[in-house]
Amino acid sequence: MFTTERQVSLRPDPDLSPSGPAARWQPAVPALIYLGIRAFGVLVLAVLGNGSPVDRLTAWDGRWYLEIAASGYDLPPVPDAEGYLNPFTPRAFFPGFPVVIRWISGACGLSQTTVAILVPAVAGVVAAYGLARLGRIVRGGSRRAGYLLVALFAAAPMGVVLSMAYTEALFCALAVWALIGVLERRWHLAGICCAFAGLVRSSALALVLAVALAALVSLPRERRGPAVALLLAPLGLVGYLWWTGLRVHPEAGFAERLGTWSDLERQGWSTRFDGGVATTRFLWQSLTSPDAMTVLTVAVLLGYLVLLAVALSRRLEWPLVTYGGAIVVMALASSGLMHSKPRLLLPAFTLLVPVALGLANRRRSSAVWTVAGVAAVSAWFGAYALSVWKYAI
């Protein structure tokens, strides 16, 4: 049903056994690819951007996470989308990332700002090794495809967020290893990573869906392992939603408590599930009032729809399609700030797998030039979004 590591190892792969100096560097390749592309993006931001790169990398949601890391959720009330002072608005931000910032800062004596930038960098490297493995174990995969998948992820349209004090890098690291656990039937790994991802951001709903469905399908044959994953996967997400509801509406029932977080999102940022009405309206309005950021955003939205169609047509392993498709649905079928959609789509990295597989079958020079071009566009897009664009991403 799923591709396994053993099945992959039986296929000949000319990239598996390099010799000489290349063999010594091979374990570091995913990290070098990822860090090289992200360093280029930050360099472009420093050259083209306005102000300190650190200020840009900790802007917008980064300030929220730093405030929560420093003071917890008991922050002064802030105006919600309707102008009302709401003391519960900070609880719309999941606790995983600020808790990690606080723990590491306290243990190492580093400033929380420094830790908030270092944690995504380290998490991105962890994600890179996961992506390299994912590109190798999927149907038709190879070591080269894994490296290309790492490069495409690091050079995603809003890849600059992976270097910011945001949750995307940490979430993607947990998500990719959870999906590896599913494909390799390492159910404890899948369940644990999924549970922790649920403490990082709401995108974990897509991951819980993929892991839970895969566990249910495997349950009749394997029983114990899938049952463990099925139990663990939703714990982080459901636990935080319930805890938030308990703090905001202590008298509410269980179901109402779970919906409290969605209410905070709607009240604070006018974000709610609307079936894609707001996104469709945005796409239509972009035809009459285009600007650079809008054009780029529209291109990214349509691009991910194409990637989803390609993943379906190429018969990518269904847990990967389920996860990536759910991320796309969650991003495009909700209202809110439209120009943040490219960032919200970043966790749909599984939809890049068919592209990596296709490039792996091309000449090396073609693949390198393609990745270089994508990385250049991504670096410029990130610098533009953080320096020229005046609104949040």
Side-chain angles (χ1 to χ4, degrees):
M1 181 180 59
F2 304 138
T3 304
T4 66
E5 182 67 18
R6 177 171 179 169
Q7 289 172 323
V8 172
S9 65
L10 295 176
R11 292 199 305 268
D13 184 352
D15 296 328
L16 285 178
S17 303
S19 58
R24 293 194 297 270
W25 285 97
Q26 191 177 57
V29 170
L32 293 174
I33 292 174
Y34 177 83
L35 292 175
I37 293 176
R38 293 305 331 127
F40 174 69
V42 173
L43 177 62
V44 172
L45 174 63
V47 173
L48 301 181
N50 299 318
S52 167
V54 173
D55 291 340
R56 295 290 83 207
L57 294 177
T58 56
W60 306 117
D61 287 5
R63 301 313 308 171
W64 279 101
Y65 287 117
L66 285 169
E67 289 287 345
I68 295 170
S71 306
Y73 285 108
D74 296 325
L75 302 176
V78 296
D80 60 21
E82 298 178 357
Y84 296 107
L85 292 176
N86 190 341
F88 300 114
T89 297
R91 297 180 187 274
F93 295 90
F94 279 60
F97 184 45
V99 166
V100 170
I101 293 174
R102 180 186 297 180
W103 284 353
I104 295 179
S105 176
C108 301
L110 299 172
S111 72
Q112 291 189 344
T113 299
T114 299
V115 174
I117 294 176
L118 287 178
V119 168
V122 174
V125 171
V126 174
Y129 280 96
L131 290 165
R133 187 178 186 88
L134 185 66
R136 191 170 73 246
I137 68 174
V138 294
R139 190 181 302 112
S142 65
R143 191 176 298 275
R144 181 179 297 178
Y147 293 160
L148 286 167
L149 184 57
V150 173
L152 292 171
F153 172 70
M158 195 53 75
V160 67
V161 176
L162 297 171
S163 300
M164 296 179 68
Y166 272 55
T167 59
E168 275 75 8
L170 180 58
F171 174 80
C172 289
L174 292 166
V176 68
W177 283 102
L179 293 170
I180 289 171
V182 168
L183 294 187
E184 296 183 348
R185 297 188 178 91
R186 297 163 62 186
W187 296 108
H188 287 76
L189 175 65
I192 291 171
C193 288
C194 189
F196 279 109
L199 296 173
V200 176
R201 56 185 295 116
S202 61
S203 305
L205 179 60
L207 188 62
V208 171
L209 177 64
V211 173
L213 286 177
L216 283 172
V217 170
S218 300
L219 196 57
R221 295 192 310 275
E222 301 180 53
R223 294 194 179 278
R224 183 177 179 181
V228 171
L230 196 59
L231 176 65
L232 292 176
L235 285 184
L237 179 62
V238 174
Y240 179 67
L241 296 181
W242 178 84
W243 180 82
T244 298
L246 180 64
R247 290 294 183 269
V248 178
H249 299 300
E251 74 289 347
F254 182 78
E256 188 177 352
R257 287 176 183 173
L258 292 182
T260 300
W261 181 87
S262 296
D263 294 337
L264 294 177
E265 277 281 284
R266 176 179 53 79
Q267 294 164 6
W269 291 269
S270 297
T271 299
R272 66 182 183 277
F273 187 86
D274 65 357
V277 173
T279 301
T280 302
R281 185 183 300 117
F282 169 75
L283 293 174
W284 176 256
Q285 292 174 347
S286 68
L287 298 176
T288 58
S289 57
D291 56 68
M293 189 66 176
T294 297
V295 171
L296 290 168
T297 299
V298 169
V300 172
L301 301 188
L302 296 178
Y304 272 93
L305 289 174
V306 171
L307 289 175
L308 178 57
V310 171
L312 289 168
S313 66
R314 297 294 177 87
R315 301 181 65 184
L316 183 66
E317 283 80 350
W318 69 262
L320 304 184
V321 176
T322 298
Y323 166 76
I327 292 289
V328 171
V329 170
M330 290 178 65
L332 302 190
S334 61
S335 60
L337 183 61
M338 289 294 118
H339 296 95
S340 69
K341 301 298 184 184
R343 174 177 66 84
L344 299 179
L345 287 165
L346 189 62
F349 52 81
T350 56
L351 302 183
L352 298 173
V353 171
V355 181
L357 295 177
L359 286 175
N361 293 324
R362 302 278 184 175
R363 290 183 302 177
R364 182 170 299 181
S365 59
S366 299
V368 169
W369 281 110
T370 299
V371 169
V374 171
V377 173
S378 172
W380 176 83
F381 189 14
Y384 180 88
L386 291 179
S387 299
V388 179
W389 183 246
K390 302 300 182 182
Y391 307 99
I393 57 170

